[in-house]
Amino acid sequence: SYVLTQSPSVSVAPGQTVKITCTGNNFGKKAVNWYLQKPGQAPVLVVYDDSVRPSGIAERFSGSNSADTATLSISSVEAVDEADYFCQVWDAENEHPLFGGGTKLTVL
Amino acid sequence: EVQLVQSGAEVKKSGESLKISCKGSGYEFTSYWIGWVRQKPGKGLEWIGLIYTGDSDTKYSPAFQGQVTISADKSIDIAYLQWGSLTASDTATYYCVRPLSRWGNFPAYWGRGSLVIVSS
């Protein structure tokens, strides 16, 4: 079955740029979506279709997708960006959304 | 404004049944599927399944097929997730979700979650 792999954690200093990656087979053919989740809250969609930001999401969030790796970039990182980040694609074999394991972003 | 309002936290015992709800508002309920996502404490997101609210057709993730039942009452714009016999492993927060567009295949709107605690 299809598997999405994310690094468990990443840390960054305030004001820097962080890249959170998600890997899977033949990624370039799949649309990747990204969510952030803060403790005790529901996930929030921050990027969809690889690189589109929903309304209300800061321009600091951007996404890209290559053959095997999708990347969520957050520029000028702020303390409020500290959260878990999940990637997601459509699992065509099982006909349902599939989530990566999540990456915990720590702002130093 | 699209809203998904979920029922409150539940504390149950193993073997008991449970039905949690998700009320959609701010949009045409029967035009969008409603899905359910499980999150165990400290863990990631797992897709349970969805219901096409227009005709009540359901599709389940293989891991949850036969373990839960998804239904909806379109007369009151509510979707449900239910268990016939809970076990301790069902302890989790359950989110209902809706796609961005009618033909969308990813969760865009999320309810706040319903915490289910099952004691053995």
Side-chain angles (χ1 to χ4, degrees):
Chain A
S1 61
Y2 201 82
V3 176
L4 299 180
T5 301
Q6 297 183 244
S7 297
S9 64
V10 64
S11 58
V12 63
Q16 300 300 303
T17 295
V18 66
K19 294 182 184 297
I20 298 171
T21 60
C22 177
T23 61
N25 290 337
N26 294 318
F27 236 3
K29 299 180 181 178
K30 294 183 180 292
V32 181
N33 311 304
W34 290 92
Y35 306 85
L36 70 78
Q37 184 181 31
K38 297 183 179 181
Q41 298 184 21
V44 173
L45 181 69
V46 293
V47 166
Y48 67 95
D49 288 352
D50 297 335
S51 60
V52 182
R53 275 189 317 276
S55 63
I57 299 301
E59 291 184 12
R60 302 184 295 104
F61 290 84
S62 62
S64 63
N65 186 3
S66 66
D68 295 312
T69 303
T71 303
L72 174 70
S73 299
I74 311 172
S75 61
S76 303
V77 169
E78 304 173 3
V80 294
D81 298 329
E82 192 162 278
D84 293 324
Y85 289 82
F86 297 92
C87 59
Q88 178 263 314
V89 299
W90 177 257
D91 181 344
E93 178 182 358
N94 293 298
E95 297 185 70
H96 65 73
L98 177 68
F99 296 95
T103 296
K104 181 177 181 60
L105 172 64
T106 299
V107 181
L108 301 171
Chain B
E1 178 193 7
V2 174
Q3 286 194 319
L4 299 173
V5 179
Q6 297 190 230
S7 49
E10 302 272 1
V11 180
K12 309 291 281 186
K13 295 184 178 180
S14 289
E16 293 185 330
S17 62
L18 176 64
K19 194 173 189 178
I20 62 176
S21 66
C22 170
K23 181 171 176 59
S25 64
Y27 69 98
E28 187 178 348
F29 184 76
T30 55
S31 292
Y32 300 82
W33 53 259
I34 292 283
W36 290 92
V37 176
R38 182 175 79 177
Q39 188 171 38
K40 293 189 173 185
K43 301 299 183 182
L45 305 171
E46 301 174 272
W47 181 257
I48 297 172
L50 62 78
I51 184 165
Y52 294 99
T53 49
D55 62 8
S56 293
D57 186 25
T58 53
K59 293 191 180 300
Y60 296 91
S61 166
F64 290 90
Q65 181 79 47
Q67 308 304 309
V68 296
T69 302
I70 298 172
S71 60
D73 185 339
K74 58 187 180 183
S75 70
I76 52 174
D77 296 349
I78 293 181
Y80 301 98
L81 177 66
Q82 69 181 84
W83 295 259
S85 180
L86 289 160
T87 68
S89 65
D90 293 317
T91 294
T93 296
Y94 293 85
Y95 295 99
C96 64
V97 297
R98 200 212 84 169
L100 191 63
S101 67
R102 289 187 178 192
W103 298 275
N105 64 1
F106 63 89
Y109 297 95
W110 295 65
R112 290 191 172 188
S114 296
L115 175 62
V116 174
I117 297 173
V118 184
S119 61
S120 53

